[in-house]
Amino acid sequence: AALPAHLSVAQLNEKVRAALQSAFPARVLVAGEVVGFDKNKDARNLFFGLVEKETGGRRIVANVDVVMFERRAQHLIPALEAKGLTLRDGVEILVEARVDLYPATGRYQLIVEDVRPEFTLGQLALGREQVLQALRAAGLLRRNAELPMPVPALRIGVLTSPDSDAWNDFWRELEASAIGFSLTLYPIRVQGAELQPTMLRGLRWFAERAADFDLLCVIRGGGSRSDLAWFDDREVAFAVARHPLKVLCGIGHERDRSVLDEIAFGLKTPTATAAQLVAEWCAADDVLRGQQGRLRDAGRALLRGHAHAAPCFLKQ
């Protein structure tokens, strides 16, 4: 039998595209974790992917290509950020999209028309509460927060990015105090997938050298709720809760509190964290000066008493 007339590649792709559009005539809602966004975030048209991972694991079981065209991105990205959602790799989002196929490559993809921020923020809040419940069940929720404040605290460990404004603001505030603080910085990533492993290594490093330090500070500049969600990581939270050093947490936000804020000594900003260290030192210095004054007054009174005492003669 004769073969039917052949199709060109372009014709095939157009037919597949028409079939997809017929099968999905309306927009679809798809949830997934963002990948490949960070490396393309400065492009006019934003190309990235959504992946599904196995429950409780890191293995990817499915993925789909996604595009957000420039005109849509120009108003959608700022609108999301205003609601506390910054699109970045590792964030789970819910997109409203059209199913399409790009005929030139035969690539099936989703064309994003909208992103539902309430989905992501709800997932973040749920994950945060689950971590807090786990800490509470283990009896660790307030363990670190209730460690006493060392008096005075001068040997300070710091976990942050050395190239960040957070570190510069923190260091300058302490430098301006003219108090002899000794600072040791262990560099970490303060955002993204590398935050957890670098933070855990830093926490372990200071725990192994706890006798050499008085306090440990975790600092980061401001950001959206999705940026700060990296500090809700379960393993990081348990490591902080169990840490032998009292932890001060200043991760630069006014409205939202991370898990670390709940389980450590939470402060609003890196500058506020440094100011707290200065205030603690000044309070200790005031106490010491008060004690010195009282000792001096008592000594003077004692000497005056001896000076006016009647002479005492020993019997032979």
Side-chain angles (χ1 to χ4, degrees):
L3 292 175
H6 70 275
L7 297 172
S8 70
V9 173
Q11 289 171 329
L12 174 63
N13 286 349
E14 287 292 353
K15 284 185 175 291
V16 174
R17 184 185 191 190
L20 276 174
Q21 292 175 340
S22 176
F24 297 95
R27 297 177 181 180
V28 294
L29 291 173
V30 181
E33 181 181 315
V34 176
V35 295
F37 183 91
D38 292 355
K39 64 182 180 182
N40 297 313
K41 63 182 180 181
D42 296 323
R44 294 173 58 187
N45 297 314
L46 303 177
F47 293 92
F48 56 101
L50 290 180
V51 301
E52 178 183 347
K53 294 181 177 179
E54 62 184 0
T55 303
R58 298 186 178 183
R59 187 175 68 88
I60 294 174
V61 297
N63 66 80
V64 63
D65 291 331
V66 179
V67 60
M68 185 186 299
F69 290 121
E70 180 182 15
R71 181 175 296 180
R72 183 68 61 185
Q74 283 178 340
H75 81 268
L76 185 53
I77 297 297
L80 293 173
E81 291 178 347
K83 294 180 179 179
L85 172 57
T86 300
L87 289 184
R88 295 190 184 276
D89 289 357
V91 175
E92 190 170 356
I93 63 174
L94 180 67
V95 300
E96 184 178 328
R98 292 184 286 111
V99 180
D100 197 17
L101 181 137
Y102 185 49
T105 61
R107 186 181 67 196
Y108 145 66
Q109 61 186 5
L110 295 178
I111 300 176
V112 175
E113 299 293 345
D114 200 4
V115 177
R116 304 288 180 86
E118 63 277 7
F119 171 84
T120 302
L121 299 177
Q123 291 291 102
L124 295 178
L126 177 61
R128 175 177 173 276
E129 186 56 36
Q130 289 173 339
V131 173
L132 290 173
Q133 287 179 357
L135 288 164
R136 191 177 293 111
L140 295 171
L141 185 65
R142 301 296 297 168
R143 180 194 173 279
N144 192 276
E146 292 173 356
L147 291 178
M149 187 74 73
V151 180
L154 292 173
R155 303 172 302 166
I156 311 300
V158 185
L159 291 172
T160 193
S161 169
D163 301 322
S164 65
D165 290 339
W167 166 244
N168 291 328
D169 292 345
F170 179 82
W171 179 83
R172 286 172 185 152
E173 183 76 13
L174 294 182
E175 183 74 7
S177 73
I179 299 171
F181 290 104
S182 172
L183 300 181
T184 301
L185 170 65
Y186 189 102
I188 64 167
R189 296 290 181 87
V190 293
Q191 183 170 283
E194 288 301 306
L195 182 146
Q196 189 218 49
T198 58
M199 176 80 87
L200 291 176
R201 286 196 294 269
L203 289 168
R204 187 163 52 249
W205 191 90
F206 282 111
E208 291 169 353
R209 297 162 178 80
D212 298 328
F213 297 94
D214 300 318
L215 282 175
L216 178 58
C217 297
V218 179
I219 56 175
R220 179 203 190 278
S224 67
R225 184 66 192 92
S226 56
D227 287 336
L228 301 174
W230 300 105
F231 290 92
D232 295 340
D233 180 83
R234 181 188 177 101
E235 290 187 51
V236 168
F238 271 83
V240 167
R242 294 188 174 112
H243 208 277
L245 292 171
K246 186 173 183 65
V247 177
L248 272 61
C249 179
I251 57 176
H253 54 107
E254 298 287 341
R255 295 171 299 176
D256 300 303
R257 288 176 62 84
S258 70
V259 167
L260 295 197
D261 286 309
E262 299 292 344
I263 67 174
F265 191 111
L267 294 145
K268 291 182 178 180
T269 64
T271 300
T273 305
Q276 182 69 35
L277 294 176
V278 173
E280 293 287 344
W281 185 92
C282 290
D285 185 61
D286 288 343
V287 170
L288 182 59
R289 288 178 184 275
Q291 291 174 340
Q292 288 175 333
R294 287 190 292 273
L295 284 172
R296 182 179 61 251
D297 294 342
R300 287 173 177 172
L302 184 61
L303 290 174
R304 285 195 300 270
H306 279 295
H308 294 91
C312 176
F313 297 97
L314 296 177
K315 292 182 178 180
Q316 296 296 326

